[in-house]
Amino acid sequence: MAALEIVESGVLIQLQDLGRYGVAEHGLSQGGAMDLHAYCWANLLLNNDPNATQIEITLGQACFKVLEECFIALTGADMNATLDGKVLVPWQTYQLTQGQILQFGFARDGLRAYLAIKGGFDNQTCFGSASTVQRNHLGGIDGKGGALAVGQCLYAKASSSPYRYQAVPARFIPRYHHEITVSVIESYQADSFTADQKARLCSSGYQLTLHE
């Protein structure tokens, strides 16, 4: 069934799953959801297949019209999502009815949000995945790596499992603005560095920027 129509495509919205594995020999990228924690929770909330296709919303400003009653989960960045003007809290499930408008603002905490639908979105796959990788021209509705666009309709796969409201326990909801600790595993070049250099690497703070 046609569940959602794209009214506004925002900065970037794409179909994503867990990605393509075993394709490096073809010169292809794995692709897949950027925030696996949020992606996996969204499917779990709806009792979907772990690899069910979702919409990955980058930065926000997307809008969808509900064409058929459906059940969704929202996880990831807080984009001040609203349903007919009523604020939706991420990291839980919702029931949508025909004619409603699902609107996303700009991301307030985090970068990417995930919109999952019960059963998963029904799209063709290539190399076992529907994941959109634009540089490889793979995935998406057109199968050629295109981002989702205004006017396109998204279909949901049939699901036999009953819907029930679920929410992610607070302890599993990340705070994207917090500092994180990254683990380091020494590899074959570790002996090329002195003990002082290794200590400085592990004791320093780092910040990701757009430019060098």
Side-chain angles (χ1 to χ4, degrees):
M1 62 179 180
L4 300 175
E5 178 184 354
I6 301 171
V7 179
E8 298 175 14
S9 57
V11 179
L12 178 67
I13 54 175
Q14 299 178 313
L15 291 176
Q16 297 291 354
D17 53 23
L18 291 174
R20 296 176 181 84
Y21 292 84
V23 296
E25 64 185 44
H26 302 291
L28 301 176
S29 303
Q30 175 181 318
M34 291 292 292
D35 184 348
L36 285 177
H37 180 82
Y39 167 88
C40 291
W41 266 111
N43 276 333
L44 184 61
L45 287 173
L46 294 170
N47 195 30
N48 283 349
D49 183 283
N51 195 42
T53 306
Q54 300 178 22
I55 300 175
E56 182 180 77
I57 304 169
T58 302
L59 293 176
Q61 292 295 289
C63 182
F64 305 87
K65 180 179 180 180
V66 182
L67 301 178
E68 301 277 353
E69 180 186 54
C70 56
F71 306 98
I72 66 165
L74 298 179
T75 61
D78 183 355
M79 294 185 177
N80 194 32
T82 60
L83 184 64
D84 287 346
K86 181 180 178 180
V87 175
L88 302 183
V89 178
W91 300 94
Q92 55 187 282
T93 61
Y94 293 95
Q95 179 177 356
L96 310 186
T97 58
Q98 185 178 17
Q100 290 186 304
I101 299 296
L102 176 61
Q103 176 81 54
F104 292 83
F106 281 115
R108 298 187 297 183
D109 182 21
L111 181 62
R112 294 177 176 85
Y114 291 85
L115 168 56
I117 195 166
K118 189 161 185 59
F121 289 104
D122 189 10
N123 289 96
Q124 60 181 311
T125 62
C126 183
F127 292 103
S129 171
S131 181
T132 306
V133 182
Q134 292 185 345
R135 64 179 175 272
N136 292 162
H137 304 289
L138 292 175
I141 285 182
D142 59 4
K144 300 178 181 179
L148 297 175
V150 172
Q152 290 179 325
C153 294
L154 299 163
Y155 298 80
K157 293 181 178 179
S159 175
S160 59
S161 62
Y163 165 78
R164 64 185 179 89
Y165 166 78
Q166 294 196 89
V168 176
R171 67 183 182 277
F172 295 121
I173 299 176
R175 301 294 181 261
Y176 292 106
H177 60 280
H178 287 183
E179 292 185 357
I180 62 172
T181 300
V182 178
S183 299
V184 177
I185 300 176
E186 290 191 354
S187 186
Y188 66 94
Q189 293 178 321
D191 292 339
S192 300
F193 299 89
T194 66
D196 288 341
Q197 290 172 327
K198 293 178 184 178
R200 187 163 65 250
L201 171 69
C202 295
S203 61
S204 299
Y206 299 89
Q207 181 177 359
L208 294 177
T209 60
L210 294 176
H211 305 286
E212 295 182 358

